[in-house]
Amino acid sequence: MASFLDRILGLFSLDLGIDLGTANTLVAVRNKGIVINEPSWVAVDRKSRQVLAVGAEAKEMVGRTPNKIVAIRPLRDGVISDFEITEAMLDNFIKKAHSRALFNIPRPRVVIGIPSGVTEVEKRAVYDAARSAGAREVFLIEEPMAAAIGAGMPVTEAHGSLIVDIGGGTTEVAVFALGGIVVSRSIRVAGDEMDEDIINYARQKYNLLIGERMAEKIKISIGSAFPLPEEKTMSLRGRNLVTGLPESVEISSIEVREALSNSVNTIIETIRSTLDETPPELVADLMETGIGMAGGGSMLQGLVERVADETNIHTWLAEDPLTCVARGAEAVLEKLDDLARVLVGLERTTASRAGSGSPRL
């Protein structure tokens, strides 16, 4: 239960739910919804390590910076790869959220979604980064749990639910019942891996070197996991590896689907293996409730239909799938006392415990 002081501070605190994603970071304010949705990019000076830009402004610099500036993503595969830069990025986003407040309010309480397969060291890195960025209290929640809550699934009921959360760095598959995760899988194959598949395909078939931004644009525009009603084409622009000159080729959605097949098949196989380990009573529940899809990667055209075809279970896309984790974290903040007692995978870690050991999930 929250202390009396916590309750008083909570009346004035701008509590935040954060989806600290590999591709995008989203911040939701309790009772106000999503206030920040920006790419997880930071531009820094190579020598001084001074942060020059964060978010969308930094992403615009990718591949266009002079030698003294580098644009980087401080998270890879859903975990922190550069602690200092992640801290600076979190600090920037928390201050942006605070700047929207009308009064000088206390430091926020923060719920952060992290992948279910991370190590204790990686959990501690997220916790420390949030504390250093100005959070008064830090709560860690597994991303599939947050995504399921954000998608409106009845995770606290005896009825089984299944969520597939495809982000930038990781894909999380989890079955829930009675407020806990019964079976889960976490793989580091997601949106980034799909972009890499397209880059490799262009290099091998067309001797064309393309960047991450071009690959992502192709994936979003004509990428698919299932045959489209009307196949599309798009110009693929890059540098010819033989001549060294700029070149543009037409690539079809059929070719992009072929390029993405390895990543898509890996995700499908992960869902099937999760179902294979799910107790039969819960499988019967899932045949009624279906499979929920969340995360930006789940918006790949035809992926919902492909999952339904491969699993023989009705599959549906959550409303605004990109924001499910952040909205779920916000929902936890709204009912923190109730959810903290029933949700496996959520621990309240206060400043007084900061030195007593790693926060556990």
Side-chain angles (χ1 to χ4, degrees), residues 179-234:
I181 296 178
V182 181
V183 184
S184 70
R185 289 284 183 277
S186 179
I187 58 171
R188 297 189 174 184
V189 175
D192 288 349
E193 193 75 17
M194 294 180 189
D195 294 343
E196 194 62 34
D197 286 342
I198 294 172
I199 291 172
N200 291 335
Y201 186 87
R203 182 188 295 117
Q204 293 168 7
K205 184 166 184 178
Y206 294 109
N207 285 321
L208 197 65
L209 181 63
I210 64 172
E212 291 180 9
R213 290 166 60 89
M214 186 76 247
E216 183 181 31
K217 187 177 180 180
I218 290 289
K219 177 186 69 177
I220 293 171
S221 300
I222 64 172
S224 65
F226 209 67
L228 300 175
E230 184 178 341
E231 302 294 350
K232 308 171 185 177
T233 62
M234 188 172 172

Side-chain angles (χ1 to χ4, degrees), residues 7-21:
R7 290 180 183 277
I8 295 300
L9 288 174
L11 294 174
F12 301 98
S13 175
L14 194 69
D15 294 339
L16 308 176
I18 300 178
D19 176 9
L20 190 61

